[in-house]
Amino acid sequence: NAGVTQTPKFQVLKTGQSMTLQCAQDMNHNSMYWYRQDPGMGLRLIYYSASEGTTDKGEVPNGYNVSRLNKREFSLRLESAAPSQTSVYFCASSEAILVQVDSPLHFGNGTRLTVT
Amino acid sequence: DQQVKQNSPSLSVQEGRISILNCDYTNSMFDYFLWYKKYPAEGPTFLISISSIKDKNEDGRFTVFLNKSAKHLSLHIVPSQPGDSAVYFCAARMLTYSGAGSYQLTFGKGTKLSVIP
């Protein structure tokens, strides 16, 4: 039972390069999320997808794009990486699609990205 | 403006004693509070939650207390074990209405708990 799988685990980019972080979940969850974690900071929401076919901005969306490819997969793209995007990125999923459902997030193990 | 605050970056406790991790929040619209535990090089894992209509929730060694009037919650771990050493994040849920509806979590900065054998 893999849960939430993120690839790659580590990545080093040069300023201006682009890349896509991949995320897949096998729990048949409806909602998926991308967070970033910086030293001394909590997790901050970048983008989320409440259900297949929808995406919305979170707290810190600038410099990122997302694609909800299907119910399982939610990718995060950096079009032109900047040093400020050096961070650990976590993908998460939850069963919840309706606000009445109490459903904790299930996180992947993260992608550690360094932009030089 | 930080809406969820964990003012203690770190906490050290002797094995067998009680660990108390604190969290304060500012937004009255939060309706659910959750604690996540994170080991190095892993993603956070859900630990325990509490609805804003309750003041206590217990799960084994873990108890969360909520004081709505003070906008304060705490996580108690009794007895503490070395395997509890991790970073603990407090998170608060707010309902959002976007398309089909969903919720967003706001996380605190975390408290690193060290349980000393």
Side-chain angles (χ1 to χ4, degrees):
Chain A
N1 188 2
V4 179
T5 303
Q6 291 183 236
T7 55
K9 288 186 171 55
F10 301 94
Q11 184 72 48
V12 179
L13 291 178
K14 294 187 174 171
T15 297
Q17 287 185 317
S18 63
M19 80 160 293
T20 300
L21 281 65
Q22 307 287 353
C23 175
Q25 51 92 8
D26 62 3
M27 296 172 283
N28 201 36
H29 283 172
N30 290 298
S31 299
M32 297 186 73
Y33 309 79
W34 277 104
Y35 284 88
R36 61 178 286 174
Q37 185 194 10
D38 301 299
M41 302 286 287
L43 288 87
R44 292 183 292 170
L45 183 63
I46 305 171
Y47 269 94
Y48 67 102
S49 170
S51 61
E52 188 178 354
T54 69
T55 60
D56 286 283
K57 295 178 180 179
E59 182 185 354
V60 288
N62 291 344
Y64 305 95
N65 286 302
V66 290
S67 295
R68 183 74 182 267
L69 304 169
N70 47 55
K71 191 171 185 180
R72 288 187 64 245
E73 298 172 288
F74 188 39
S75 63
L76 178 72
R77 182 159 178 85
L78 287 70
E79 290 290 352
S80 179
S84 62
Q85 294 177 306
T86 293
S87 189
V88 181
Y89 291 85
F90 290 100
C91 177
S93 70
S94 69
E95 185 179 359
I97 187 169
L98 297 176
V99 297
Q100 294 86 355
V101 176
D102 172 36
S103 173
L105 298 181
H106 296 260
F107 285 86
N109 284 337
T111 295
R112 186 175 294 274
L113 175 67
T114 301
V115 183
T116 61
Chain B
D1 183 28
Q2 217 183 338
Q3 298 188 72
V4 177
K5 300 177 186 177
Q6 294 178 259
N7 292 320
S8 300
S10 62
L11 175 68
S12 288
V13 172
Q14 286 289 133
E15 180 179 4
R17 306 294 289 269
I18 184 172
S19 296
I20 300 176
L21 295 92
N22 294 304
C23 179
D24 297 294
Y25 63 96
T26 59
N27 194 329
S28 300
M29 297 298 292
F30 291 135
D31 72 330
Y32 233 97
F33 301 90
L34 303 91
W35 285 92
Y36 280 82
K37 176 180 178 179
K38 185 183 179 306
Y39 292 118
E42 294 184 10
T45 55
F46 170 70
L47 190 58
I48 192 170
S49 66
I50 187 168
S51 165
S52 60
I53 63 173
K54 295 188 175 181
D55 55 18
K56 178 182 175 181
N57 188 29
E58 214 169 335
D59 183 3
R61 296 186 297 115
F62 302 91
T63 302
V64 56
F65 295 93
L66 175 62
N67 183 332
K68 276 188 73 175
S69 60
K71 294 191 174 67
H72 176 83
L73 63 154
S74 60
L75 174 67
H76 293 213
I77 306 173
V78 184
S80 300
Q81 299 173 354
D84 296 329
S85 297
V87 176
Y88 289 79
F89 290 99
C90 172
R93 186 182 92 163
M94 188 180 327
L95 307 182
T96 64
Y97 294 93
S98 175
S102 183
Y103 65 84
Q104 291 190 29
L105 289 185
T106 301
F107 284 83
K109 292 184 178 181
T111 296
K112 184 176 181 180
L113 173 66
S114 300
V115 180
I116 303 162

